[in-house]
Amino acid sequence: MQDKVIETNVVSVVGEVHSELEFSHEMYGEGFYTFDIKIPRLSDYSDVLPVTVSERILVGLDIKEGIAVKVEGQLRSYNKYKDGNNKLVLTIFARDMSSCENLEEIKNPNQIFLDGFICKEPVYRTTPFGREITDMLIAVNRPYNKSDYIPCIAWGRNARYSEKLQVGDHIKIWGRVQSREYQKKIQDDNVITKIAYEVSVSKMEINEEDNNRFGEKELDNNEQD
């Protein structure tokens, strides 16, 4: 992988196709399609994540619900304008895709590495069950003066550590891409269920030039699913 973008934003997921292919858009005469991929966790829960793939990569692949595939690429973000508001939308942008056999033998079916910068002040909180969480937004640069903005969640010891990070800090993150349901109140006190996509951090590292400000450069979370 010679492309610098690939080195700073790397995703590899293996799972079952969970929806039909749908046409998304065309760019420079090339068509792009979307589908959902269902990836099992160690627990009974599965993450269902959106994938965007070029028609060029689809050649020779029979993509239909229920088949197992491996997708390698990047986690990308874009703004979607809806109802007068801009919404940050995430998708796994496939650079390579292949059929996969023996899905149950894959030890780590959901992996991501990000090398980017803190672009929003981290927010530390605790859940009703006492779990420590820090929410972060990481900007990962790509060519043509573009960046992807990736929501990340650190847990436990990593949460306490990342609470101290400042906007502009250079950070490397290893983890998994996850889907999470949440409820949002709308008009007339009605509640709707929505899905958020984010990176669950298992390991993080501050770039070397930041070592003087932090006593420890690298942490492993050893988070259990």
Side-chain angles (χ1 to χ4, degrees), residues 105-211:
E105 296 181 5
I106 304 297
K107 293 183 178 180
N108 193 348
N110 188 339
Q111 303 177 67
I112 184 169
F113 167 73
L114 299 174
D115 182 347
F117 301 85
I118 300 290
C119 60
K120 186 178 181 181
E121 185 177 350
V123 177
Y124 174 87
R125 56 192 170 92
T126 57
T127 70
F129 297 101
R131 296 191 72 184
E132 297 174 287
I133 298 175
T134 294
D135 296 298
M136 298 178 288
L137 189 65
I138 309 300
V140 182
N141 296 329
R142 54 182 162 105
Y144 310 110
N145 295 318
K146 292 184 178 180
S147 298
D148 293 297
Y149 297 91
I150 313 297
C152 300
I153 291 185
W155 309 82
R157 191 174 173 218
N158 277 347
R160 295 191 295 273
Y161 182 72
S162 56
E163 180 189 12
K164 305 171 187 176
L165 297 175
Q166 298 177 7
V167 173
D169 282 343
H170 189 177
I171 186 171
K172 296 178 180 179
I173 283 174
W174 293 259
R176 72 162 186 260
V177 188
Q178 68 178 20
S179 60
R180 173 176 55 85
E181 289 189 352
Y182 67 97
Q183 292 185 325
K184 182 177 180 179
K185 281 188 177 181
I186 56 176
Q187 293 179 347
D188 301 324
D189 291 330
N190 290 325
V191 176
I192 59 174
T193 299
K194 306 189 78 171
I195 299 178
Y197 304 104
E198 60 210 1
V199 171
S200 178
V201 177
S202 59
K203 176 183 171 183
M204 57 193 298
E205 178 181 314
I206 293 294
N207 201 301
E208 291 183 359
E209 60 260 30
D210 292 321
N211 283 352

Side-chain angles (χ1 to χ4, degrees), residues 20-26 30-35 50-56 58 91-94:
E20 294 184 359
L21 275 176
E22 290 188 10
F23 179 78
S24 172
H25 64 281
E26 184 176 300
E30 185 175 4
F32 290 86
Y33 292 79
T34 61
F35 69 94
V51 175
T52 301
V53 58
S54 163
E55 59 186 0
R56 172 177 44 85
L58 290 171
T91 185
I92 296 174
F93 184 81

